[in-house]
Amino acid sequence: MRLLVVEDDPDLNRQLVTALSDAGYAVDSATDGEEGHFLGDTEPYDAVILDLGLPVMDGVSVLEAWRREGRAMPVLILTARDRWSDKVAGFDAGADDYVAKPFHMEEVLARVRALLRRASGNASSELSCGDLVVDTAGARVTVAGNAIKLTSLEFRLLSYMMHHKGKVISRTELVEHLYDQDFDRDSNTIEVFVGRVRKKLGIHVLKTVRGLGYCLSEPDEQA
Ligand code: CA
């Protein structure tokens, strides 16, 4: 899963990027509304954390522009505690949720998880496929109750596939959602990651769809 943080306060921006990266997401960040708008308009984010008070272009205008342009990713807005009118303006502009400043980072992380799972039609924070269970809240993976150790990139790949269970995901799409914009991307390495995750899981849920990409679905007898 890949996220965008748009926040002009440098300390808060860094704290958000660090916490979200530590939680296993690929994270890009912008410090003004214009740059944030551009990134959200050109890169395929799974969710965005958007401050409303931003230089150059304010957060509500950024959000309105994205929605007008058909960008439908979930957006969590950051508002000032005492400004109820900001929340109303934010929701009317197309926000999905908000957190008032100052906030606890755990709350932002929980709200982001909720936005991501709702966007993919999952009600529970535990995603499962056969014996495979991915606990998105604790970033834990088990197969038939046994814990599986994955690197953060492997977990990001599995989590993205679990959030899009049953859908064919191209290598290009995977690359776009696993790496931040500064990463030296190479779609060939995806094959290697998929191979490693398959081996660690030991069950055949991550399937290759020849010429199209990958699809995560219930294990079959090929395992
Ligand atoms: Ca601000």
Side-chain angles (χ1 to χ4, degrees):
M1 297 299 207
R2 185 174 169 202
L3 309 176
L4 171 65
V5 170
V6 189
E7 166 60 65
D8 59 316
D9 180 310
D11 290 335
L12 193 50
N13 188 305
R14 201 174 326 110
Q15 286 165 24
L16 283 162
V17 170
T18 303
L20 292 162
S21 304
D22 288 350
Y25 303 105
V27 188
D28 292 336
S29 81
T31 51
D32 70 61
E34 193 174 24
E35 186 193 7
H37 170 257
F38 175 75
L39 284 173
D41 205 27
T42 51
E43 298 289 332
Y45 295 106
D46 295 298
V48 176
I49 292 106
L50 176 69
D51 183 31
L52 290 188
L54 290 169
V56 191
M57 186 175 178
D58 70 88
V60 168
S61 302
V62 170
L63 188 47
E64 279 172 348
W66 281 337
R67 297 315 192 208
R68 209 165 41 235
E69 290 147 2
R71 309 296 298 180
M73 66 285 197
V75 174
L76 173 72
I77 52 171
L78 304 178
T79 66
R81 166 91 44 205
D82 51 348
R83 295 282 297 273
W84 65 267
S85 54
D86 280 1
K87 293 166 200 159
V88 173
F91 278 115
D92 283 345
D96 298 275
D97 199 1
Y98 79 92
V99 174
K101 293 179 181 180
F103 50 75
H104 289 282
M105 199 55 81
E106 280 305 319
E107 184 180 353
V108 172
L109 294 174
R111 288 183 183 277
V112 166
R113 287 195 297 271
L115 286 177
L116 291 172
R117 68 172 187 255
R118 261 187 263 139
S120 62
N122 291 289
S124 163
S125 62
E126 272 196 1
L127 310 177
S128 64
C129 182
D131 285 341
L132 168 66
V133 177
V134 174
D135 169 10
T136 59
R140 277 184 298 268
V141 178
T142 56
V143 172
N146 299 309
I148 307 289
K149 264 203 173 353
L150 298 179
T151 65
S152 65
L153 206 50
E154 290 165 357
F155 178 78
R156 206 181 287 165
L157 182 145
L158 182 62
S159 175
Y160 188 81
M161 294 304 295
M162 286 295 270
H163 277 88
H164 298 87
K165 186 175 146 184
K167 293 192 189 111
V168 177
I169 308 294
S170 70
R171 276 195 207 181
T172 312
E173 180 174 345
L174 266 180
V175 168
E176 283 177 343
H177 290 267
L178 297 189
Y179 302 119
D180 59 57
Q181 59 170 351
D182 298 329
F183 199 90
D184 184 16
R185 300 173 192 187
D186 175 2
S187 65
N188 290 318
T189 60
I190 289 291
E191 188 76 49
V192 177
F193 277 120
V194 169
R196 273 192 225 150
V197 173
R198 268 187 194 138
K199 205 166 177 185
K200 288 188 179 181
L201 295 179
I203 54 170
H204 193 67
V205 289
L206 205 45
K207 298 157 194 175
T208 299
V209 183
R210 201 177 294 264
L212 295 175
Y214 305 100
C215 180
L216 188 138
S217 58
E218 298 291 329
D220 55 32
E221 62 282 0
Q222 281 176 270

